[in-house]
Amino acid sequence: MNLPNSITMSRIISVPLLIWMLSPHFHGAGWYGSAEIITSLVFILISISDGVDGYLARRRGQITTMGMLLDPLADKLLIASAYIALVQYNPHVVKPWIAVVVIGREFLVTGLRSIASSEGFTISASDLGKLKTVIQIVSVVAAVLDHGWHEWHFGWFIMPVDLIAVVGIYFMTAVSILSAVDYFVAFWRRIEKASTSSRSRENEFVLTRGKKDLPAKNVS
């Protein structure tokens, strides 16, 4: 249990805390909307830890099998719990079908990666997948803040918090679907390439055996 894995474990342990903070039982003390601000800050800190543990693991040469298992598990637990809780916390912004799409996408990618691993190859995260992660963090924070404010007033400037939250959630859903399709296409191409290579080796083996089995000709 090194430092990167400890950070990953803390991210998993913080999931129940996040679910509690997105429930009616959490009431922030102080000014109006403090609960939403505190919850947003906690979620941002937990999300940042995802990049920190990966950076430390590479920098310190502490990439372990446990870390490779726990890191994606922690990410999926965090995102799935956030969107499930937001369905009850802010149903105006996060609809149940959106949570189903997001969680279904995570299941699909996990399944494809597991099959790819069993076949001896990996599917690296694409730029679209990385963009999806950033948009997920922004959309969750926006949906949490929208629970307390419809808009923010900064003098003459008005920030439409509700509009940003709604657009962010639907944009995140679209990117999640596109990212899932991108993963599936990459997986299918690798499977097709591996299958073609395997058939070529089998044909070569059969032809080689056939040549060896031919009777030798008598030369006079």
Side-chain angles (χ1 to χ4, degrees), residues 7-142:
I7 296 175
T8 304
M9 285 297 300
S10 67
R11 193 158 73 252
I12 295 176
I13 295 173
S14 64
V15 169
L17 172 64
L18 178 65
I19 295 175
W20 175 70
M21 297 181 75
L22 290 173
S23 70
H25 303 288
F26 176 69
H27 300 282
W31 68 93
Y32 172 78
S34 59
E36 287 80 4
I37 293 178
I38 294 173
T39 303
S40 300
L41 291 176
V42 169
F43 180 78
I44 291 173
L45 289 175
I46 296 174
S47 301
I48 290 175
S49 70
D50 179 26
V52 174
D53 59 8
Y55 171 78
L56 290 176
R58 292 187 296 271
R59 183 69 180 271
R60 297 159 65 103
Q62 294 179 330
I63 299 177
T64 62
T65 303
M66 177 180 288
M68 295 172 65
L69 172 66
L70 293 180
D71 186 64
L73 175 63
D75 298 341
K76 288 169 176 54
L77 281 176
L78 179 64
I79 293 300
S81 60
Y83 281 100
I84 290 174
L86 283 172
V87 170
Q88 182 271 334
Y89 187 76
N90 195 351
H92 164 66
V93 175
V94 183
K95 309 297 183 182
W97 69 267
I98 293 177
V100 171
V101 168
V102 172
I103 297 173
R105 184 263 178 201
E106 300 300 330
F107 274 112
L108 174 63
V109 172
T110 301
L112 292 179
R113 283 180 169 173
S114 298
I115 298 174
S117 178
S118 66
E119 293 294 329
F121 62 90
T122 59
I123 305 176
S124 58
S126 62
D127 294 336
L128 194 60
K130 297 175 182 178
L131 174 64
K132 181 270 308 177
T133 302
V134 174
I135 297 175
Q136 281 182 337
I137 296 173
V138 174
S139 63
V140 168
V141 172

Side-chain angles (χ1 to χ4, degrees), residues 129-192:
K130 297 175 182 178
L131 174 64
K132 181 270 308 177
T133 302
V134 174
I135 297 175
Q136 281 182 337
I137 296 173
V138 174
S139 63
V140 168
V141 172
V144 172
L145 295 177
D146 181 68
H147 183 264
W149 293 274
H150 184 77
E151 55 188 22
W152 283 352
H153 294 265
F154 299 98
W156 59 269
F157 178 72
I158 299 177
M159 178 178 291
V161 179
D162 182 68
L163 179 62
I164 293 175
V166 173
V167 173
I169 287 293
Y170 281 94
F171 182 56
M172 177 278 305
T173 305
V175 173
S176 295
I177 296 174
L178 291 176
S179 175
V181 173
D182 182 57
Y183 268 104
F184 183 80
V185 170
F187 170 80
W188 187 263
R189 287 176 178 173
R190 292 298 300 271
I191 287 291
E192 281 291 315

